[in-house]
């Protein structure tokens, strides 16, 4: 577990900034890769991974439904299960 990554979903963190999400993504990539800062020859793939995790985290947070809470503005409609 990456202990420095804080919970970003409401109501734990009502206001989540893009900086919060990117910082969490960076910590995740650092933990998984084992590198605090990549060597020059790994910089591009490291940065790409941070961008991908940032985007996935933003999508997740935008579409999570918290029980008893209203959907976030711009959230996707709930998925319908195929029968």
């Amino acid at each position: 577990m990456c202990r420095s990554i804080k919970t970003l979903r409401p109501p734990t963190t009502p206001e989540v900034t893009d900086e919060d999400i990117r910082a969490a993504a960076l910590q995740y990539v650092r933990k998984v890769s084992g590198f605090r800062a990549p060597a020059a020859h790994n910089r591009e793939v490291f940065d790409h991974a941070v961008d991908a995790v940032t985007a996935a985290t933003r999508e997740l947070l935008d579409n999570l439904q918290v029980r008893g809470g209203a959907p976030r503005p711009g959230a996707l409609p709930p998925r319908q299960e195929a029968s």
Side-chain angles (χ1 to χ4, degrees):
M1 179 69 185
C2 296
R3 293 182 183 158
S4 60
I5 297 176
K6 64 182 183 176
T7 301
L8 298 179
R9 71 166 177 79
T12 305
T13 308
E15 294 295 322
V16 178
T17 67
D18 289 338
E19 288 176 2
D20 293 330
I21 294 171
R22 185 152 184 91
L26 178 59
Q27 287 300 316
Y28 175 80
V29 172
R30 284 176 173 168
K31 185 69 160 185
V32 170
S33 70
F35 296 110
R36 186 182 183 298
H41 63 278
N42 284 326
R43 171 58 66 186
E44 186 176 347
V45 70
F46 189 92
D47 290 344
H48 177 73
V50 172
D51 292 342
V53 173
T54 298
T57 303
R58 170 51 69 198
E59 181 180 352
L60 172 68
L61 292 174
D62 284 348
N63 293 293
L64 278 178
Q65 293 182 15
V66 179
R67 287 186 183 197
R72 286 188 169 185
L76 297 173
R79 292 179 122 184
Q80 298 295 322
E81 304 250 345
S83 320

